């Protein structure tokens, strides 16, 4: 089981915490221009920055994440449909 990962992007004023095991990683990484060594938290942060709420239907796998965008004062919290990973 992977540990939760926290990613803080001070330049973009965003923070993302994720406990995820995403499927279709390669397609998402390619679409976002990220390297294969990117964490799921980085993938989620980049996806939210690019697609916003439209990221959610693209996600497959087990995941729970929280992301804060200080510029827009937007808090995202989501988990997979089966609730495999706890959101807390």
């Amino acid at each position: 089981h992977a540990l939760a990962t926290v990613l803080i992007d001070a330049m973009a004023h965003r923070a993302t915490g994720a406990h995820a095991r995403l499927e279709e990683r390669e397609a998402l990484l390619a679409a976002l221009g990220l390297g294969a060594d990117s964490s799921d938290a980085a993938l989620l942060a980049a996806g939210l920055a690019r697609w916003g709420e439209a990221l959610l239907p693209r996600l497959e796998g087990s995941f729970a994440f929280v992301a804060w965008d200080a510029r827009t004062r937007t808090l995202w919290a989501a988990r997979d449909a089966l609730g495999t990973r706890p959101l807390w």
Side-chain angles (χ1 to χ4, degrees):
H1 296 276
L3 298 175
T5 303
V6 176
L7 176 71
I8 298 174
D9 184 343
M11 297 294 289
H13 301 278
R14 291 187 187 113
T16 305
H19 186 211
R21 184 174 180 164
L22 298 175
E23 305 296 329
E24 304 297 328
R25 279 183 51 83
E26 291 77 21
L28 288 169
L29 291 169
L32 293 166
L34 298 175
D37 61 339
S38 297
S39 68
D40 286 335
L43 194 152
L44 291 164
L48 284 171
R50 175 169 294 167
W51 299 308
E53 163 178 354
L55 167 68
L56 299 177
R58 297 172 183 254
L59 298 178
E60 295 181 28
S62 62
F63 61 89
F65 72 89
V66 176
W68 170 248
D69 184 328
R71 288 191 177 155
T72 62
R73 300 184 55 80
T74 303
L75 177 68
W76 295 90
R79 69 180 188 178
D80 63 272
L82 296 177
T84 309
R85 309 251 175 180
L87 182 63
W88 73 79

